[in-house]
Amino acid sequence: MKILVSCLAFDEGKSGISDYIVSTVKEMIIEHEVFLLIHPSDASIFPLSSDKLHFRYVAEWIKRPLISMFWHLFILPFSMNFNFYDLFFLPAGNRRLMAHYPKRTVVTFHDLSQFHIPSKYDGFRMFYIKKIIPYFLRKAPCIYAISENTKKDLIRFYAIPANKIEVNYNGYNPQKLENPISLEELHNKFNLHKKYMLYIARVEHPGKNHMGLLKAYDLLPNDLMAEYDLVCAGGLWNGGEIVMQQVTKLQHPENIHFVGFVSNQEMASLYKNASLYVFPSLYEGFGIPVLEAFAAGIPVICSDRSSLPEIGGTAVLTFNPDKPQSIVESMKAVLTNPNLQNDMIQRGKDRLQNFSWYLHTQRIINSFKLN
């Protein structure tokens, strides 16, 4: 097959959407010809190469968000010879859609966090998400939601018929955990000399709920605080400065490590050497770090809302992310109980059997064969 993929929401390779694009394209090029609609600056950093991967460049000036939104909606549908391709894939339906679609178009929709976190974006972007996106999404021939939670949100907030949406769970990349830097390098680079709990997410307030996590850490019993540091990996995004200010107000700010955006090798080491993964986000369309933590062999505690309990299943302990004391109780329950830790680790490994980028991508490729 010849598959055209819109790569205009690549975010310079530093977001969950960019990881999703790379993961699906990597599977597609095993057997198919893939053509990426992409800006030259993103093409220069795209981490895959293959004789089956081809770039279709889109002018750099179109990269500006407002221009990109309107170009994708109203210019792209009429500027491409879609008949040349067997399938057109829009991997970020919550970001870029079209006013008119080729018949063989597949859209993946990730989340509607904006309806759950009203202050997430500015007024124009919220208008775009709440009014423009649903109007054009309803016209799409094939819509995949990455979780049952996202499907329910599409039905609830966008009034899209349930029979038009299929759930297609994300996969995870075991390769992300390969070639970790050594424990000594990890200690020296990030000044980590104790056991630690880990959270990997862009530092965004309020959505990723770093504030709730910091407040919970400050409520830990002294013995656990003395034994475990808290490590947060991820670049600063909207509201990140508020989170950093909160760190200075804690009892022991020296125990908190914000290490910024990390390489795959550094991330692998952070996962594998962590004692506990804590996922306090207020909303997630899927939550791939849950699977990565399972694969790394560490127990996971997470919010009791959005898709996280759905993805974690019986392998996770959940808490109320609005209540720091609830987070603390889950931390204590796991950190003080080795038997529970071992049980959660095993359940996590078993849970991984349900998630695969191969299965996810095959469903996209076979969409119109199945229908």
Side-chain angles (χ1 to χ4, degrees):
M1 291 177 66
K2 292 183 175 69
I3 304 172
L4 179 64
V5 180
S6 174
C7 198
L8 302 191
F10 193 64
D11 300 326
E12 299 179 343
K14 295 182 178 180
S15 72
I17 293 291
S18 58
D19 284 347
Y20 176 80
I21 292 171
V22 171
S23 298
T24 50
V25 169
K26 185 177 181 180
E27 292 293 336
M28 288 175 178
I29 59 177
I30 294 174
E31 297 181 357
H32 305 281
E33 297 278 330
V34 176
F35 301 79
L36 294 186
L37 278 173
I38 193 167
H39 298 295
S41 59
D42 288 328
S44 68
I45 60 172
F46 198 78
L48 302 177
S49 61
S50 167
D51 292 340
K52 295 181 179 179
L53 182 63
H54 316 279
F55 295 145
R56 295 289 183 263
Y57 294 113
V58 176
E60 201 70 23
W61 63 269
I62 295 173
K63 198 171 189 178
R64 284 174 285 182
L66 184 59
I67 296 174
S68 179
M69 290 174 189
F70 282 98
W71 185 89
H72 213 284
L73 277 171
F74 301 113
I75 305 300
L76 175 58
F78 309 102
S79 62
M80 295 287 299
N81 178 16
F82 290 102
N83 291 329
F84 177 76
Y85 307 99
D86 300 299
L87 185 68
F88 181 39
F89 179 42
L90 292 175
N94 43 313
R95 299 270 296 279
R96 298 292 181 267
L97 291 173
M98 304 204 306
H100 173 76
Y101 300 93
K103 289 182 179 179
R104 297 169 68 86
T105 300
V106 175
V107 177
T108 291
F109 204 95
H110 296 271
D111 67 72
L112 280 170
S113 57
Q114 301 84 0
F115 286 84
H116 300 271
I117 308 170
S119 59
K120 188 175 176 70
Y121 292 130
D122 59 60
F124 174 78
R125 196 174 298 185
M126 294 297 284
F127 174 80
Y128 174 74
I129 290 162
K130 291 188 174 184
K131 302 297 182 181
I132 305 298
I133 288 286
Y135 178 80
F136 292 108
L137 182 64
R138 292 187 193 107
K139 299 181 178 184
C142 180
I143 304 169
Y144 284 123
I146 60 170
S147 64
E148 290 287 350
N149 181 77
T150 294
K151 178 176 179 176
K152 289 175 183 176
D153 277 354
L154 287 171
I155 296 167
R156 176 185 175 190
F157 296 113
Y158 282 0
I160 295 178
N163 62 4
K164 195 172 182 180
I165 311 164
E166 296 292 334
V167 174
N168 191 15
Y169 281 140
N170 284 338
Y172 73 103
N173 291 322
Q175 296 82 5
K176 268 193 174 184
L177 300 175
E178 294 176 354
N179 304 313
I181 63 173
S182 68
L183 185 58
E184 182 181 3
E185 288 178 278
L186 188 71
H187 287 172
N188 292 336
K189 185 173 181 66
F190 300 124
N191 193 31
L192 302 178
H193 302 289
K194 291 160 55 179
K195 292 185 284 187
Y196 60 88
M197 295 176 280
L198 178 65
Y199 181 32
I200 299 177
R202 61 192 186 191
V203 185
E204 175 189 281
H205 178 73
K208 297 299 182 180
N209 199 27
H210 288 82
M211 294 287 278
L213 177 59
L214 292 174
K215 291 175 182 177
Y217 182 83
D218 215 34
L219 293 173
L220 275 176
N222 290 335
D223 58 336
L224 287 179
M225 194 180 295
E227 188 175 1
Y228 296 96
D229 281 358
L230 175 63
V231 177
C232 298
L236 287 178
W237 284 61
N238 297 334
E241 68 283 353
I242 298 173
V243 176
M244 303 312 294
Q245 291 169 8
Q246 179 67 24
V247 175
T248 64
K249 301 175 183 178
L250 302 180
Q251 298 179 61
H252 296 284
E254 70 278 6
N255 291 0
I256 313 295
H257 307 266
F258 279 84
V259 299
F261 185 80
V262 295
S263 70
N264 281 351
Q265 290 77 22
E266 292 164 346
M267 185 186 299
S269 189
L270 284 170
Y271 269 125
K272 290 191 171 185
N273 291 289
S275 299
L276 177 67
Y277 191 86
V278 188
F279 206 156
S281 180
L282 299 179
Y283 183 92
E284 293 291 330
F286 186 84
I288 288 177
V290 170
L291 305 184
E292 293 172 344
F294 287 166
I298 56 175
V300 176
I301 61 173
C302 65
S303 299
D304 61 3
R305 62 186 59 172
S306 67
S307 65
L308 294 178
E310 175 187 346
I311 303 307
T314 61
V316 299
L317 287 188
T318 61
F319 51 74
N320 183 337
D322 291 323
K323 297 182 178 180
Q325 188 60 47
S326 178
I327 304 176
V328 171
E329 293 305 318
S330 291
M331 289 177 174
K332 288 164 53 179
V334 179
L335 294 176
T336 60
N337 189 334
N339 290 332
L340 177 59
Q341 293 173 29
N342 292 333
D343 181 59
M344 292 174 70
I345 290 168
Q346 185 57 54
R347 286 172 180 262
K349 290 179 179 178
D350 294 340
R351 183 77 178 143
L352 287 175
Q353 306 306 312
N354 298 306
F355 305 96
S356 157
W357 283 123
Y358 170 77
L359 294 175
H360 178 94
T361 306
Q362 284 300 117
R363 191 164 190 190
I364 292 168
I365 291 168
N366 293 330
S367 296
F368 293 94
K369 294 179 183 177
L370 298 176
N371 294 330

